[in-house]
Amino acid sequence: MIIAANLKTNLTRVDTKEYIDNLEKCVQTSQTQNEVLVFPAMSSLLAHEGKVKVGTQNAYATKNGAFTGEIGLEHLAEFSIKTILIGHSERRHILKETQATLVEKFNFYKELGFTIVYCVGEPLEKREAGKEEMMAYISAQYEGIDTAYENLIIAYEPVWAIGTGLTPTLEDIEAIHTDLKAKSSAPLLYGGSVKVANAKEVLDLQNVDGVLVGSAALKVDDFCEILKN
Ligand code: PGA
């Protein structure tokens, strides 16, 4: 299983270092076989050696250059980071990244052999519009993406379930994951209000290969509980 923490715009550099050190201890002592990924805030990126893999929540499709407010390959290489989150709903909806931008990013970091956690998921109005419209919306998020890329991980995260405490039913998660597995055989994570109390039942579902956790990952002890599942 792949258990990933998206720390978003939380935890300072000092807090992040402590978080990752404690998480590494948890991984080592629990002897979990799970693959553990952490995505800290940009200014908290750090070089870490151990079982916990550190990735970036974002980077521009460039080595360096004039892209104010962005970081590029050079800044990731400084910390030996080779994992990137692309297409998170907050980047799509709040930061207005288009599918074309995401595809450009995807291709740039794919060429470099990065592990890419690529996120897809529908807003509430698409879910309420019925299965056909919902699947058409999600399918459009696969456009231009090399679904056979060997270092690809996909995360299905319904937008309305992120940070809200709401989740689809277990049956719904399993059904959508089964449909999405037909589009790509890459490992498929579920994300959206995963917490200690529901992680195990989600991870037990067919075609769920892991979870991407936001709020509930902010406390390292909780995230440690989740990955021990
Ligand atoms: P959440 O966030 O666990 O707080 O719902 C998940 C995510 O945004 O990846």
Side-chain angles (χ1 to χ4, degrees):
M1 292 284 167
I2 300 168
I3 314 291
N6 178 6
L7 302 179
K8 306 192 181 183
T9 318
N10 298 295
L11 304 197
T12 61
R13 169 171 293 277
V14 171
D15 295 340
T16 302
K17 169 90 176 71
E18 191 185 337
Y19 181 99
I20 292 175
D21 287 347
N22 285 333
L23 184 58
E24 183 67 40
K25 272 184 217 145
C26 160
V27 171
Q28 300 279 356
T29 55
S30 67
Q31 296 186 328
T32 176
Q33 296 305 305
N34 292 323
E35 197 179 319
V36 182
L37 306 177
V38 179
F39 297 92
M42 298 295 223
S43 64
S44 303
L45 290 177
L46 49 82
H48 175 77
E49 275 176 30
K51 296 206 162 167
V52 174
K53 222 188 263 172
V54 176
T56 184
Q57 294 172 20
N58 182 41
Y60 205 66
T62 190
K63 181 171 175 231
N64 54 28
F67 305 99
T68 302
E70 295 287 327
I71 62 167
L73 175 64
E74 231 171 51
H75 311 93
L76 301 176
E78 185 178 15
F79 302 115
S80 305
I81 288 172
K82 294 218 75 181
T83 303
I84 185 169
L85 196 61
I86 295 179
H88 188 277
S89 81
E90 285 147 18
R91 302 245 17 126
R92 290 180 190 267
H93 297 286
I94 303 174
L95 283 308
K96 308 289 181 211
E97 284 190 3
T98 63
Q99 187 64 19
T101 305
L102 299 176
V103 167
E104 195 186 334
K105 243 177 227 194
F106 187 98
N107 288 336
F108 183 84
Y109 287 100
K110 176 189 135 183
E111 283 305 308
L112 295 161
F114 269 58
T115 296
I116 298 176
V117 179
Y118 181 73
C119 305
V120 300
E122 81 291 351
L124 190 57
E125 69 268 20
K126 293 294 169 189
R127 164 154 298 236
E128 287 174 343
K131 183 159 181 200
E132 207 174 309
E133 203 170 318
M134 178 179 100
M135 290 313 289
Y137 183 91
I138 298 173
S139 293
Q141 297 177 324
Y142 281 75
E143 272 168 25
I145 298 299
D146 177 3
T147 54
Y149 174 47
E150 56 180 352
N151 297 327
L152 172 64
I153 298 168
I154 295 175
Y156 168 65
E157 300 200 296
V159 180
W160 52 274
I162 295 178
T164 58
L166 302 172
T167 50
T169 63
L170 295 174
E171 292 73 22
D172 281 348
I173 294 174
E174 195 164 79
I176 293 178
H177 272 238
T178 303
D179 287 348
L180 296 184
K181 272 282 177 170
K183 293 182 181 295
S184 170
S185 59
L188 183 56
L189 316 185
Y190 169 77
S193 295
V194 173
K195 44 188 182 277
V196 177
N198 65 9
K200 185 169 174 10
E201 57 193 21
V202 172
L203 288 165
D204 280 344
L205 297 173
Q206 287 248 324
N207 292 318
V208 172
D209 304 307
V211 285
L212 177 54
V213 189
S215 329
L218 289 179
K219 287 201 186 113
V220 72
D221 291 347
D222 288 350
F223 188 57
C224 178
E225 276 309 303
I226 291 174
L227 71 90
K228 280 194 216 157
N229 277 317

